[in-house]
Amino acid sequence: MAFVNGAGVVSKRQGAAVSSRSRTVVSANIVDTVIKRAADDSKKVANAAALAAIAGSLMVPVAATALTRGDIQNLTYMQVKGTGTANRCPEVVASVKGNIKLDEGKVYKLVDLCLEPKSFQVEEEKTSRKGEVKREFVSTKLMTRATYTLAGVEGDLVAKGGKITFTEKDGIDYAATTVQLPGGERVPFLFTIKELVATSEGTGNTITNATEFGSEESSSAPLLPCRYPKAAQKQKLRRSLSFQVNLVHSHLDGTVSDVEHLVSLLEELILSLRSVSFPRGKGDGAEGQDELFKETNKVFDVTDGSIEMAVNKIDPETKEIAEFFVSEQLSDTDMGAKAPKKILLKGVFYGRIED
């Protein structure tokens, strides 16, 4: 470096050397930074893999874990909230196969009865390639949140004459549920065992692993609107007309015979008008009413279903029973506006016997 008038001057050869050393230092810094970041990323990946392995070993799916009655009772509100556990039935995990003996004629209580559907199917018509139409159950998509399980149901359990009969009395014995067919149609229905009477045969007065409770499907007539016979209808009409005519007669002069004569004339006129059928024409308000008849004339239908419950798990000490059920019932009719569909439910149940 030379000095001119007291100031330092760098030659071209010295400047090139300095610039080269600067580029070398910068390149070294970049390489160090890249290596450091790569090492940090490697550590993050390793930590993430370790955490994933730990989480995989701890986070077991809820459905794969058996929950007994004691396990559910020991859970706090925050442990149950948002997990779907409240919609699950307890399970019996007893490994021993035993039986529960019931005394003849004694009334026991079947309490904590819980039914949890696992499969929802709807009967539909399907056309084969040959053009044959057949009905079969198709799988559906559940649209209802985790509120479709029946729980806390209880009733009487009586062994008599080689049969064991369960009669449902109380509890959360119905749940409004909606499923969606593959085509997009939604089918609402009321999953219920209200007033259930289920009987077991073949195992005597003992509940074993071969015990099956079943209810027979029975037909029930719909609740129809009340219709008066012709004589009663005519008498009701006369009373109504007499009241109205007497109301008018109280403000006018006339005899009793005049009132009776007027009532008879009005009665004949109304009855004759009821028997006349007027032709329907455009603009009379009757056009298109046939399609809306069921929509505007509601009917309250009560339909029955059937259920079978197969006992396969028993704990003789706690008198708990559990395993599978199959239920068949009809869907909603919108108060008679549409034809019901047949619903097939399959799931698990749990119950406990008390003296």
Side-chain angles (χ1 to χ4, degrees), residues 164-313:
I164 303 176
T165 303
F166 168 69
T167 305
E168 190 268 342
K169 295 292 185 181
D170 196 7
I172 305 176
D173 50 13
Y174 65 91
T177 312
T178 302
V179 295
Q180 182 172 292
L181 293 171
E185 179 185 358
R186 295 190 177 182
V187 181
F189 66 96
L190 192 68
F191 174 41
T192 177
I193 57 170
K194 185 175 287 292
E195 299 180 358
L196 168 67
V197 178
T199 305
S200 171
E201 298 180 4
T203 58
N205 296 352
T206 305
I207 298 179
T208 66
N209 297 88
T211 301
E212 293 185 0
F213 290 93
S215 67
E216 296 182 357
E217 184 174 2
S218 59
S219 60
S220 61
L223 182 64
L224 298 177
C226 180
R227 295 185 178 181
Y228 294 96
K230 289 185 178 180
Q233 188 176 4
K234 188 174 181 181
Q235 185 178 5
K236 183 180 179 182
L237 176 62
R238 173 173 283 272
R239 288 199 302 266
S240 177
L241 290 175
S242 298
F243 173 76
Q244 296 179 20
V245 171
N246 287 327
L247 184 62
V248 176
H249 178 262
S250 62
H251 298 280
L252 300 175
D253 294 335
T255 61
V256 177
S257 59
D258 294 336
V259 173
E260 293 180 353
H261 181 64
L262 180 58
V263 169
S264 300
L265 291 177
L266 289 175
E267 181 183 355
E268 293 178 2
L269 177 61
I270 292 177
L271 291 177
S272 62
L273 288 175
R274 287 183 176 180
S275 62
V276 175
S277 58
F278 296 95
R280 292 186 176 183
K282 294 183 177 180
D284 61 354
E287 185 179 3
Q289 292 300 312
D290 294 337
E291 294 81 2
L292 300 176
F293 179 79
K294 291 184 178 181
E295 293 284 351
T296 56
N297 294 269
K298 299 298 183 181
V299 179
F300 182 71
D301 290 326
V302 178
T303 58
D304 291 340
S306 61
I307 189 172
E308 293 183 3
M309 297 183 292
V311 179
N312 198 26
K313 292 183 179 180

Side-chain angles (χ1 to χ4, degrees), residues 61-69 71-72 88-93 313:
V62 177
T65 306
L67 290 177
T68 63
R69 176 171 173 266
D71 295 335
I72 295 177
R88 293 184 56 188
C89 291
E91 300 181 35
V92 178
V93 294
K313 292 183 179 180

